[in-house]
Amino acid sequence: MQKKTQIGIVAALAAVLAAPMIPAAASAAPSTASATKSGPTSIAYVEVNNDQLANVGHYRLANGANAFDVAIIFAANINRDADGNAVLYANENVQRTLDDAATQIRPLQAKGIKVSLSILGNHQGTGIANFPTQAAAEDFAAQVSATVAEYGLDGVDLDDEYSDYGTDGTPQPNQQSIGWLVSALRADMPDKLISFYDIGPASDALSSSSSTIGSQLDYAWNPYYGTYSAPSIPGLGKDRLSAAAVDIQNTPRSTAVSLAQRSKADGYGVFMTYNLPDGDLSSYVSGFTNVLYGQTTTHE
């Protein structure tokens, strides 16, 4: 995945300069979705530097159900302030998506689609795998939960890329960091989604962690596009894992179909896609929805 340039802060805490915020939304708009489907939970990451998040809601199965269940805003960053603390930032395109919640987020939620914010490093030596103390992890979790509440989001996605641990003397990863963060996020957001893009030192730590940590996650997925390999996280069953990883703009359609077939045969409960662009790619999406749900997809 691409790094996003830091521009504005999206968390409003005393130690952090806040970016402009829309009025708080305590909960998502009521769902207007009536049609249902049976099969894996489908994930759609959107590179909002280039594409509109709202397009996720235009994909419907033949019976009217949503083709995608979770839309992920890619991506906010973990930056380091002058005191060496982790702070949550958004570039201008991520911030614009958050500020335009009325057109980019609420229409999806009204259809029953969950909306999460992805968070990853920004080449500053700070990330989800090197919080030096539990208190530091809890402070960052508080920033994240404040942002989720402020913009009426449904959760957060954690991604351990582009952190460049050790830069300017920053700490190296440790085994406890990701567990501290996941536990703090779950305490702050008991009813929100917490997903994990299974890569980096945080992945290594989770693979050998207590099942009490993994059980606090909702989903995790393979980060390597065009491949099939399920994460191994104690406490997280295959019903909450995606072994498949599909880059809609770069993974061949035939490969996406094959990954869907394997996912269904092996009983994985999640199917992750990345890089959904603007416009109509319903022919491509139909390739895997025909397998997963027995239905073609249209673009409204």
Side-chain angles (χ1 to χ4, degrees):
M1 290 187 177
Q2 283 182 287
K3 176 185 78 74
K4 298 296 181 284
T5 310
Q6 72 176 58
I7 296 181
I9 300 177
V10 297
L13 297 175
V16 185
L17 178 63
M21 293 186 175
I22 61 171
S27 61
S31 173
T32 58
S34 56
T36 61
K37 67 184 183 185
S38 177
T41 298
S42 51
I43 311 298
Y45 279 89
V46 177
E47 285 261 15
V48 296
N49 269 8
N50 308 314
D51 301 301
Q52 299 291 303
L53 185 75
N55 193 36
V56 176
H58 291 295
Y59 288 89
R60 307 302 287 265
L61 300 181
N63 73 346
N66 298 313
F68 297 104
D69 302 298
V70 181
I72 300 181
I73 301 166
F74 189 80
N77 296 112
I78 306 176
N79 282 9
R80 188 174 80 251
D81 69 12
D83 295 321
N85 301 311
V87 290
L88 180 62
Y89 281 81
N91 74 15
E92 60 185 352
N93 298 306
V94 172
Q95 190 62 53
R96 184 181 303 114
T97 300
L98 295 172
D99 290 337
D100 291 347
T103 59
Q104 293 297 312
I105 297 172
R106 301 292 171 258
L108 301 184
Q109 294 172 323
K111 293 178 179 181
I113 300 170
K114 303 290 188 181
V115 178
S116 286
L117 177 65
S118 177
I119 299 170
L120 76 167
N122 201 14
H123 300 286
Q124 297 186 8
T126 300
I128 62 177
N130 74 336
F131 291 111
T133 64
Q134 184 173 350
E138 290 173 347
D139 176 77
F140 186 73
Q143 296 178 50
V144 173
S145 61
T147 300
V148 168
E150 182 70 23
Y151 293 99
L153 302 175
D154 298 297
V156 63
D157 179 64
L158 304 174
D159 185 344
D160 194 16
E161 296 181 278
Y162 307 117
S163 293
D164 292 359
Y165 298 114
T167 297
D168 296 329
T170 52
Q172 291 296 322
N174 63 70
Q175 287 294 110
Q176 296 79 30
S177 179
I178 184 62
W180 287 334
L181 179 61
V182 169
S183 294
L185 286 169
R186 182 52 69 205
D188 289 349
M189 306 188 304
D191 301 319
K192 300 293 186 178
L193 297 178
I194 305 174
S195 59
F196 182 63
Y197 189 82
D198 189 39
I199 198 169
S203 170
D204 296 335
L206 279 176
S207 68
S208 59
S209 68
S210 164
S211 61
T212 59
I213 301 299
S215 64
Q216 296 178 83
L217 293 168
D218 290 284
Y219 307 119
W221 32 75
N222 172 17
Y224 300 107
Y225 299 110
T227 72
Y228 187 83
S229 178
S232 178
I233 301 175
L236 199 60
K238 67 192 304 183
D239 60 319
R240 294 187 286 159
L241 298 175
S242 178
V246 172
D247 181 337
I248 289 177
Q249 296 190 50
N250 293 291
T251 301
R253 185 179 186 274
S254 59
T255 301
V257 170
S258 175
L259 294 176
Q261 291 168 337
R262 294 182 66 180
S263 297
K264 185 173 182 179
D266 293 342
Y268 284 103
V270 187
F271 191 80
M272 187 273 279
T273 72
Y274 166 71
N275 216 10
L276 182 71
D278 291 338
D280 180 359
L281 266 72
S282 56
S283 176
Y284 183 101
V285 174
S286 288
F288 58 80
T289 62
N290 266 321
V291 174
L292 299 175
Y293 313 116
Q295 300 183 60
T296 58
T297 295
T298 59
H299 186 269
E300 297 180 343

